[in-house]
Amino acid sequence: MYKNILVPVAFDADHDPSAALAAAKVLADQGGKVTLIHVLDAVPAYVAAQVPKEVRIEARDKIKHDLKEKATIFPDAEIVVIDGHAGTAIVEYADDHDIDLIVVASHRPGLQDYFLGSTAARVVRHANCAVHVTR
């Protein structure tokens, strides 16, 4: 069992985090900590200059709200929203916060994943802790 679990959540049609959340619940020690994280893609400066700051703040607040709704199965889940490239940011967050398990959902791989690699594949290859992948 694990004491500090990280569950990355993507908000797109290809990823359903319910299996990852259920796995985290089963794998967590009694009193273990669960963190739900979402990584916002970094916005290039030339784009950010054209988007009102309030829009970015509202988007971040909406994501936090949606993460809190998904985290209701965990009594004291931590909610984190960070900026960056998902595959890299998840691994860096895990390293910096003593995560001992990452539970990540993955979609069915296609040809594009052969060339680019999915976020789950990058996390599996580079994480310094255990990784549990759900589909």
Side-chain angles (χ1 to χ4, degrees), residues 21-56:
L21 295 170
K25 185 158 181 75
V26 170
L27 294 169
D29 276 342
Q30 184 175 355
K33 178 181 173 186
V34 176
T35 303
L36 275 67
I37 188 171
H38 178 77
V39 181
L40 289 170
D41 287 329
V43 177
Y46 65 89
V47 174
Q50 302 301 318
V51 177
K53 188 174 184 176
E54 297 79 28
V55 171
R56 191 88 166 135

Side-chain angles (χ1 to χ4, degrees), residues 41-104:
D41 287 329
V43 177
Y46 65 89
V47 174
Q50 302 301 318
V51 177
K53 188 174 184 176
E54 297 79 28
V55 171
R56 191 88 166 135
I57 291 169
E58 287 176 22
R60 186 177 293 272
D61 290 345
K62 171 78 167 106
I63 289 168
K64 285 181 180 179
H65 177 302
D66 291 349
L67 285 174
K68 285 178 185 174
E69 285 184 351
K70 293 185 182 313
T72 57
I73 63 171
F74 305 105
D76 298 318
E78 184 176 350
I79 303 301
V80 175
V81 179
I82 59 176
D83 295 309
H85 179 272
T88 304
I90 291 165
V91 171
E92 288 174 357
Y93 184 91
D95 288 343
D96 294 344
H97 293 87
D98 297 321
I99 300 295
D100 54 1
L101 174 67
I102 301 170
V103 181
V104 61

